[in-house]
Amino acid sequence: DIFSRLLLGSFYTLAIAFLSISLSVITGTIIGSLAGYFGKGIDVIIMSIVEVIMSIPGILIALGIIIILGTGFHSLIAIFVIYIPRCVNVVRGLVKKEKNMEYVIAVKTYGVSDLRIIYRHILPNILKSVSVSFTTGFAGAILTEAGLGYLGLGIQPPYPTWGNMLNQSQSYFLSAPWFTIAPGLAIIFTIYQIKKLEKRGRKY
């Protein structure tokens, strides 16, 4: 029934979004920290790659990856690639600002290694901003996964997701509108709650 599929679909949709954004944030934090802290050649190479990826519309990146790898759970990789440049940009900017702070300069005088400075001193101070970035990306990843599912490029039936439920419900909209309304409302409600958390995080 629709309710059972909606509940099971919430697991697949949220799991794909959560895993993809978690990987994006972790990888983006590592790459962005290196680019922001060391600068020079490393920064130029990393930001050149990031700018190339960001210049391509996300849906085209997703389509390219899915054409190469196939539909299904590969949507996780597509979302990961789409959102990692944004994480790199955010972390790079934060690290570039923090590395010139007095506490970092003081730590350097004790001969602490650069990687230890990044891991033990800079990252804990930017963790709040990174968590806000994660929340923002999580909402976007849910919409991206739902969009891919609606286009028939995400996880395929019999595994339900909110996106492929919307895709399957098109033929039944007039006879069974709740088939469309249920996953649509689930997406709207979830994004709304995540945005509320994001605003609360920015406030505090």
Side-chain angles (χ1 to χ4, degrees):
D1 63 274
I2 304 302
F3 182 68
S4 298
R5 290 180 61 79
L6 185 70
L7 293 180
L8 187 57
S10 66
F11 169 76
Y12 287 112
T13 297
L14 296 179
I16 290 291
F18 181 83
L19 288 174
S20 59
I21 287 300
S22 296
L23 291 173
S24 295
V25 170
I26 293 170
T27 308
T29 299
I30 295 171
I31 297 173
S33 297
L34 296 175
Y37 186 85
F38 293 105
K40 299 181 180 178
I42 295 177
D43 188 29
V44 171
I45 293 171
I46 291 174
M47 292 313 297
S48 297
I49 297 171
V50 166
E51 287 172 6
V52 168
I53 296 174
M54 292 190 72
S55 67
I56 305 171
I59 190 65
L60 292 182
I61 296 174
L63 286 172
I65 292 172
I66 290 171
I67 288 172
I68 294 170
L69 300 178
T71 58
F73 290 91
H74 295 122
S75 57
L76 188 153
I77 299 173
I79 298 171
F80 165 75
V81 174
I82 291 171
Y83 284 94
I84 191 171
R86 305 179 190 185
C87 298
V88 171
N89 259 338
V90 170
V91 175
R92 172 181 173 267
L94 294 171
V95 172
K96 285 187 73 173
K97 180 182 177 181
E98 290 291 322
K99 75 174 184 178
N100 296 317
M101 293 292 185
E102 293 182 357
Y103 75 91
V104 175
I105 297 172
V107 170
K108 286 182 178 179
T109 61
Y110 287 97
V112 179
S113 66
D114 291 328
L115 292 179
R116 187 174 177 84
I117 291 173
I118 295 172
Y119 172 69
R120 292 295 300 274
H121 300 281
I122 295 179
L123 288 183
N125 284 315
I126 66 172
L127 188 61
K128 179 181 176 182
S129 298
V130 173
S131 64
V132 172
S133 177
F134 171 85
T135 306
T136 305
F138 186 41
I142 292 173
L143 290 175
T144 303
E145 198 286 327
L148 291 173
Y150 177 74
L151 294 173
L153 301 173
I155 298 175
Q156 301 297 304
Y159 301 105
T161 67
W162 292 340
N164 67 31
M165 285 181 70
L166 286 172
N167 178 280
Q168 294 173 325
S169 67
Q170 293 179 93
S171 304
Y172 306 99
F173 183 71
L174 294 178
S175 58
W178 54 87
F179 194 0
T180 303
I181 293 172
L185 287 178
I187 294 170
I188 293 171
F189 178 77
T190 303
I191 299 300
Y192 174 73
Q193 293 300 322
I194 292 174
K195 289 296 182 181
K196 283 180 63 177
L197 290 174
E198 179 188 341
K199 288 182 180 179
R200 190 178 302 172
R202 291 184 185 277
K203 181 179 179 181
Y204 295 105

